[in-house]
Structure formats: structure tokens, C-alpha cells
Amino acid sequence: MWTEENNQLTRTFVFRDFSEAFGFMTRVALIAEKMDHHPEWTNTYNKVTFRLSTHDAGDTVTDKDRTLAKAIDKLIE
């Protein structure tokens, strides 16, 4: 579940292992590149954490962030 705090949408995804997490990140990267909206994210072994905000809008959450979050969610449905 995405949460909105500190002007960011945040969510952590947990996978079976590093390979699965990295594959997920690769798929997200392709979507983000097409949207020209690149996430702040971290990866530690099997966990991927996102912090989405729009820099051009003063580092606040915008529709671009919500759209990217929905696209990310669709990858794990």
C-alpha cells in the first residue's frame, strides 16, 4: 500500500530474492523512462523502496507520481 508522507508517495515491495527484486526494478525503469518520470528508490537484497515526488513541482506529490505508482502496482498484480 502506498502512503503519502513528507511530500512523497512511499512503498516497499518484498520479493523472494535479489534477482526477483532486480528484475522488478528493471521493469519499473522501462516504464519510468517512457514517462520521463524517474523514481527515487533503494534496493537492499530482496526489498525495493520507492519515494515518489515531482521535482519540477517543488518536490511534491502530483498526478505524475500517482500514475507511476499505479503502473508499478500493475507489475505485481
Side-chain angles (χ1 to χ4, degrees), residues 3 6 8 13 20 23-25 28-29 31 38 40 42-44 46-47 49-51 53 60 62 68 76:
T3 58
N6 299 322
Q8 297 177 326
F13 295 86
E20 191 174 290
F24 172 71
M25 291 176 69
V28 171
I31 292 168
H38 306 96
E40 176 184 334
T42 58
N43 166 241
T44 304
N46 67 333
K47 293 180 185 176
T49 300
F50 292 92
R51 288 170 211 79
S53 66
T60 60
T62 67
L68 180 55
I76 61 164

Side-chain angles (χ1 to χ4, degrees), residues 2-63:
W2 291 92
T3 58
E4 188 169 338
E5 55 189 39
N6 299 322
N7 292 320
Q8 297 177 326
L9 283 179
T10 62
R11 183 168 181 187
T12 297
F13 295 86
V14 179
F15 300 93
R16 287 181 298 200
D17 56 27
F18 176 76
S19 181
E20 191 174 290
F22 194 84
F24 172 71
M25 291 176 69
T26 301
R27 292 190 303 277
V28 171
L30 295 172
I31 292 168
E33 185 65 17
K34 285 181 184 176
M35 291 179 65
D36 192 30
H37 191 54
H38 306 96
E40 176 184 334
W41 59 11
T42 58
N43 166 241
T44 304
Y45 182 58
N46 67 333
K47 293 180 185 176
V48 179
T49 300
F50 292 92
R51 288 170 211 79
L52 304 179
S53 66
T54 302
H55 304 294
D56 294 345
D59 291 320
T60 60
V61 176
T62 67
D63 287 341

